[in-house]
C-alpha cells in the first residue's frame, strides 16, 4: 500500500524554481506558514502564490492584518499583478482586518475570532476560492496579551480552512535570520508546513534564501536555496539541486579566435566547454575575449558578450583598435553586447539576466568579462553558486563559454584556486607578466584542457594594433607561474635534463 508521502496531492505554486524544491508544490488542502524577517519578501510570496493560481483558474482570498488593500493593490503593480482587475473579474477577494487610524483594542474577558472566520468563509464562497493567503499573524498577537487564546483561535482558523479544502499560506515575522521560527514561538504549531525566507547580511552584502523547514507527510528538498525578487516578475528561486551531471558532450571543435592558441589547445575548444582566462590587469584578457567573440565562423553563429568592467563604447573602440569590427557584427545580428556595473544588482539578479539574454539571443558562444568584478557583490558561497549556475546552463544548451578572472597580484599567483572556480571550468589559460633582464614581457600557457591533449610550453606573446601574436616558448626561465621568474643558465638546464634522462633514476 502506498504511504502518504506518495499519495498526498500537491498544488503548484507557479513561483519559478519553488515547485522544484517543493518537489511538486505545496501539499493541497493544508496550511503553510511562511516566516521571515522584515524585508524578506513574505507579502510578495503570499500575493504571487495567489496570482499564479488565478492564471491556472484558482480564485483567491487575501486576508490582510497590516496593510490596507489599496496599498497592496498599488505596491504589487510593479510586478505586473493587476489585483483590481482580478477583483472585478470575481477571481480575487480581500478580507480587510487591517488596523484603522486612532483605533485601539480593549481586552474584556474571553474573545474569539469567529467574526473574522465568518468573513473569510463568506469571501471564499463569493469567489469560489481554492487558494488563500493571510498576512500576517504577527499583527494578531500584537493586539492581545493572552497568546494561548490567540494560538487556539489561529488553530481553529487553520482547521476551518482545511475543512473548506483551501490550500492556504500564513505569513509571520521573525526577529532574526537564524533562531526562533517565528516571533511569538507558537505560529509554527498551527501550520502543517513551514517555509523560511531569509535576507541575511554577510560582509555588507544582502543575500536572500528560502528553506522548506517541514512538509508534514510528504517530501521536499533540504537546505537553503538562493532567490531574488525581480521587477515585473516577482520571486524567482534558483534551485542548484536541479543541476544534474547529465549534459551531453560533443567532440566538435570551435576556434578560440586565435589560430596559434587553437593549435596549443589541440585543435581548438570543444563546443560545449567552459574556458577560464586568468591573469593580471592589462596582460591581454580582454583582447583574447575580443578575438573569441569575433571568432564566429558560420553564418548561423552568434556571440554574446557580458561586460562588467568596461562600457559598451569602450569595448567597441578597443575592438576596432585590434582590427575587429563589432559594429558590423552587431548590425548583422551576430553579436550582442550587454554592459553593466556589478553593483547595479545582486548576483542572483545578474544570473537571471544572463539566462534571459541567452534564451532570447540564442548565441553559440558567450563571454563574461570579468567574473572577478561579480565577486565584489556577493559572498563566496553566492559567487560559487553563480558560477555553477551559469556553467551548467551553458553546458545544458551546448554553448561555448569564456570567463575572465583577474589575479590579485601583478605577477600571477593562485587566485583561481582561491576563487573556487578552477575545478568547475573545462579549460584554463594563464596569462602572466614575466620580468627578464629589466624588461617586462608577457607569457601564456594552457594549464588545463579536459578531454584533450594540449601544449605544455609557456609561450611569449606580444600585442599590437593587429591583436595578439603568440611566439615561441620561454627558454631557460623557471618560476613564471608562481610569480617569481628566474633565469637558469643553459649549462644548468642541460645538466638537469641529463639527470632526468638517466634510466636508473627513480
Amino acid at each position: 500500500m502506498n504511504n502518504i508521502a506518495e499519495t498526498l496531492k500537491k498544488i503548484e505554486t507557479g513561483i519559478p524554481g519553488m515547485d522544484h524544491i517543493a518537489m511538486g508544490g505545496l501539499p493541497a488542502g493544508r496550511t503553510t506558514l511562511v516566516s521571515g524577517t522584515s524585508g524578506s519578501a513574505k507579502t510578495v510570496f503570499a500575493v504571487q502564490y495567489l496570482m499564479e493560481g488565478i492564471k491556472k483558474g484558482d480564485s483567491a482570498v487575501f486576508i490582510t492584518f497590516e496593510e490596507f488593500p489599496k496599498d497592496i493593490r498599488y505596491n504589487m503593480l510593479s510586478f505586473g499583478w493587476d489585483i483590481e482587475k482580478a477583483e472585478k473579474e470575481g477571481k480575487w477577494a480581500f478580507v480587510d482586518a487591517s488596523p484603522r487610524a486612532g483605533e485601539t483594542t480593549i481586552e474584556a474577558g474571553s474573545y474569539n475570532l469567529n467574526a473574522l472566520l465568518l468573513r473569510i468563509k463568506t469571501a471564499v464562497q463569493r469567489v469560489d476560492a481554492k487558494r488563500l493567503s493571510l498576512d500576517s499573524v504577527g499583527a494578531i498577537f500584537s493586539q492581545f496579551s493572552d497568546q494561548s487564546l490567540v494560538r487556539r483561535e489561529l488553530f481553529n482558523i487553520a482547521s476551518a480552512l482545511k475543512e473548506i479544502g483551501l490550500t492556504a499560506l500564513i505569513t509571520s515575522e521573525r526577529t532574526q535570520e537564524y533562531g526562533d521560527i517565528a516571533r511569538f514561538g507558537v505560529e509554527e504549531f498551527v501550520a502543517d508546513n513551514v517555509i523560511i525566507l531569509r535576507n541575511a547580511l554577510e560582509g555588507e552584502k544582502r543575500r536572500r534564501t528560502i528553506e522548506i523547514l517541514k512538509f508534514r507527510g510528504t517530501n521536499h528538498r533540504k537546505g537553503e536555496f538562493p532567490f531574488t525578487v525581480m521587477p515585473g516578475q516577482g520571486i524567482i528561486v534558483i534551485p542548484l539541486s536541479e543541476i544534474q551531471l547529465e549534459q551531453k558532450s560533443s567532440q566538435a571543435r570551435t576556434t578560440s579566435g586565435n589560430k596559434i592558441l587553437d593549435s596549443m589547445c589541440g585543435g581548438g575548444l570543444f563546443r560545449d566547454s567552459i574556458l577560464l582566462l586568468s591573469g593580471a590587469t592589462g596582460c591581454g584578457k580582454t583582447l583574447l575575449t575580443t578575438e573569441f567573440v569575433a571568432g564566429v565562423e558560420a553564418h548561423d553563429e552568434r556571440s554574446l558578450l557580458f561586460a562588467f568592467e568596461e562600457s559598451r563604447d569602450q569595448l567597441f573602440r578597443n575592438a576596432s583598435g585590434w582590427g575587429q569590427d563589432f559594429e558590423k557584427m552587431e548590425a548583422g545580428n551576430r553579436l550582442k553586447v550587454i554592459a553593466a556595473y556589478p553593483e547595479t544588482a545582486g548576483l542572483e539578479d545578474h544570473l537571471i539576466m544572463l539566462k534571459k539574454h541567452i534564451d532570447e539571443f540564442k548565441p553559440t558562444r558567450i563571454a563574461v568579462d570579468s567574473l572577478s568584478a561579480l565577486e565584489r557583490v556577493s559572498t563566496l558561497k553566492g559567487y560559487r553558486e553563480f558560477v555553477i549556475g551559469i556553467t551548467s546552463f551553458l553546458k545544458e544548451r551546448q554553448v561555448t563559454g569564456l570567463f575572465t578572472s583577474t589575479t590579485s597580484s601583478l605577477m600571477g599567483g593562485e587566485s583561481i584556486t582561491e576563487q573556487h572556480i578552477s575545478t568547475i571550468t573545462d579549460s584554463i589559460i594563464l596569462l602572466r607578466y614575466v620580468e627578464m633582464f629589466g624588461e617586462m614581457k608577457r607569457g601564456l600557457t594552457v594549464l588545463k584542457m579536459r578531454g584533450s591533449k594540449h601544449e605544455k610550453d609557456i609561450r611569449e606573446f606580444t600585442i599590437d594594433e593587429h591583436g595578439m601574436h603568440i611566439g615561441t616558448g620561454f627558454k631557460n626561465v623557471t618560476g613564471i607561474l608562481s610569480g617569481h621568474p628566474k633565469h637558469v643558465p643553459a649549462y644548468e638546464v642541460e645538466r638537469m635534463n641529463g639527470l632526468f634522462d638517466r634510466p636508473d633514476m627513480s
Side-chain angles (χ1 to χ4, degrees):
M1 184 175 68
N2 291 339
N3 59 34
I4 191 170
E6 295 173 330
T7 60
L8 187 61
K9 181 183 176 182
K10 289 188 176 181
I11 180 171
E12 293 181 355
T13 65
I15 298 173
M18 178 63 202
D19 295 323
H20 175 80
I21 67 172
M23 298 179 71
L26 302 181
R30 296 192 170 185
T31 302
T32 299
L33 176 70
V34 178
S35 186
T37 55
S38 179
S40 58
K42 300 183 298 298
T43 302
V44 176
F45 192 102
V47 172
Q48 188 170 357
Y49 165 68
L50 299 187
M51 293 304 296
E52 291 297 331
I54 289 175
K55 292 178 183 178
K56 300 176 184 295
D58 294 343
S59 296
V61 170
F62 190 95
I63 307 155
T64 174
F65 285 95
E66 294 182 308
E67 293 185 83
F68 296 132
K70 66 176 183 178
D71 294 329
I72 296 173
R73 293 187 193 102
Y74 179 78
N75 294 337
M76 296 302 152
L77 283 174
S78 63
F79 299 110
W81 303 328
D82 193 339
I83 297 176
E84 187 173 3
K85 179 183 177 183
E87 288 178 281
K88 291 178 180 178
E89 294 174 348
K91 300 175 181 178
W92 178 294
F94 272 110
V95 175
D96 184 7
S98 57
R100 297 296 182 265
E103 186 179 81
T104 58
T105 301
I106 300 175
E107 293 187 57
S110 181
Y111 63 90
N112 58 52
L113 299 178
N114 288 341
L116 173 63
L117 185 56
L118 181 61
R119 293 174 63 192
I120 293 174
K121 288 181 177 180
T122 301
V124 169
Q125 292 173 357
R126 187 171 75 250
V127 298
D128 190 23
K130 298 295 186 294
R131 302 187 182 203
L132 179 143
S133 289
L134 190 154
D135 185 45
S136 97
V137 295
I140 305 176
F141 281 98
S142 64
Q143 296 179 41
F144 303 100
S145 60
D146 192 341
Q147 295 184 9
S148 63
L149 286 176
V150 176
R151 176 181 175 180
R152 182 197 67 197
E153 293 304 313
L154 285 176
F155 183 80
N156 290 339
I157 289 179
S159 299
L161 297 178
K162 185 181 293 187
E163 289 179 10
I164 297 172
L166 292 171
T167 306
L169 284 183
I170 297 177
T171 70
S172 180
E173 283 205 355
R174 310 179 74 198
T175 56
Q176 53 189 336
E177 302 297 349
Y178 296 91
D180 293 336
I181 293 174
R183 181 187 297 272
F184 297 97
V186 298
E187 296 93 320
E188 64 267 29
F189 297 108
V190 302
D192 299 295
N193 318 302
V194 177
I195 295 173
I196 295 178
L197 304 180
R198 295 187 175 95
N199 188 23
L201 180 64
E202 300 179 34
E204 299 182 359
K205 302 178 181 74
R206 288 283 178 186
R207 183 169 184 265
R208 285 188 164 110
T209 62
I210 183 170
E211 179 185 5
I212 299 175
L213 187 65
K214 75 170 183 177
F215 268 6
R216 188 171 290 162
T218 186
N219 293 327
H220 60 87
R221 302 192 187 277
K222 311 302 189 292
E224 292 183 73
F225 298 87
F227 77 91
T228 185
V229 181
M230 300 287 287
Q233 299 180 68
I235 289 174
I236 300 175
V237 181
I238 305 172
L240 292 179
S241 59
E242 73 179 354
I243 299 172
Q244 299 178 358
L245 294 175
E246 297 178 354
Q247 301 95 342
K248 296 179 181 178
S249 294
S250 171
Q251 294 293 330
R253 302 264 186 168
T254 185
T255 181
S256 65
N258 187 295
K259 292 183 178 180
I260 297 180
L261 183 57
D262 287 346
S263 177
M264 294 177 67
C265 293
L269 307 173
F270 288 121
R271 285 192 180 274
D272 57 355
S273 65
I274 306 297
L275 170 65
L276 173 67
L277 289 180
S278 173
T281 180
C283 67
K285 297 188 302 300
T286 301
L287 170 55
L288 266 182
T289 302
T290 300
E291 293 185 343
F292 172 80
V293 167
V296 287
E297 298 166 307
H299 291 294
D300 60 343
E301 290 189 333
R302 293 177 175 180
S303 291
L304 185 56
L305 172 59
F306 297 102
F308 294 101
E309 291 187 316
E310 295 182 89
S311 69
R312 183 178 178 278
D313 288 344
Q314 190 174 358
L315 289 166
F316 277 59
R317 182 201 65 191
N318 294 344
S320 177
W322 294 318
Q324 304 293 349
D325 193 342
F326 273 11
E327 290 187 0
K328 182 179 179 181
M329 289 183 65
E330 190 177 56
N333 200 34
R334 302 188 67 195
L335 171 66
K336 185 174 183 179
V337 177
I338 308 296
Y341 276 118
E343 288 78 8
T344 58
L347 212 52
E348 291 78 18
D349 294 11
H350 283 302
L351 179 59
I352 300 298
M353 181 269 292
L354 263 62
K355 288 183 176 181
K356 179 176 179 289
H357 284 295
I358 292 169
D359 280 339
E360 290 177 350
F361 191 63
K362 294 179 171 53
T364 53
R365 57 176 58 198
I366 79 154
V368 178
D369 185 26
S370 72
L371 284 181
S372 305
L374 291 171
E375 190 179 11
R376 300 196 303 262
V377 299
S378 175
T379 62
L380 185 59
K381 181 180 180 181
Y383 175 68
R384 180 173 175 82
E385 288 177 349
F386 169 84
V387 176
I388 293 173
I390 190 63
T391 53
S392 63
F393 185 78
L394 295 179
K395 284 181 173 293
E396 179 185 335
R397 284 157 174 72
Q398 293 192 298
V399 175
T400 313
L402 181 148
F403 302 151
T404 69
S405 176
T406 303
T407 57
S408 55
S409 63
L410 190 65
M411 303 303 288
E414 300 179 350
S415 65
I416 54 173
T417 300
E418 296 167 358
Q419 294 168 0
H420 297 275
I421 59 177
S422 60
T423 57
I424 300 171
T425 54
D426 301 298
S427 306
I428 298 176
I429 293 177
L430 302 184
L431 305 178
R432 293 291 184 261
Y433 286 114
V434 183
E435 184 183 2
M436 293 183 61
F437 307 111
E439 182 181 357
M440 192 67 79
K441 299 179 181 291
R442 294 183 175 98
L444 176 151
T445 188
V446 180
L447 180 66
K448 159 187 161 183
M449 190 159 184
R450 191 171 285 156
S452 172
K453 65 178 182 179
H454 61 88
E455 188 177 301
K456 306 298 193 298
D457 289 351
I458 303 174
R459 291 204 188 196
E460 182 179 359
F461 70 91
T462 57
I463 297 174
D464 61 19
E465 67 274 12
H466 301 293
M468 178 178 288
H469 305 279
I470 301 175
T472 59
F474 284 98
K475 301 298 182 183
N476 306 342
V477 181
T478 63
I480 293 176
L481 298 186
S482 65
H484 300 89
K486 178 182 178 182
H487 179 71
V488 181
Y491 69 85
E492 184 66 19
V493 174
E494 292 178 2
R495 187 182 73 82
M496 294 299 296
N497 288 338
L499 286 175
F500 285 111
D501 288 340
R502 286 174 55 183
D504 59 339
M505 289 291 291
S506 57

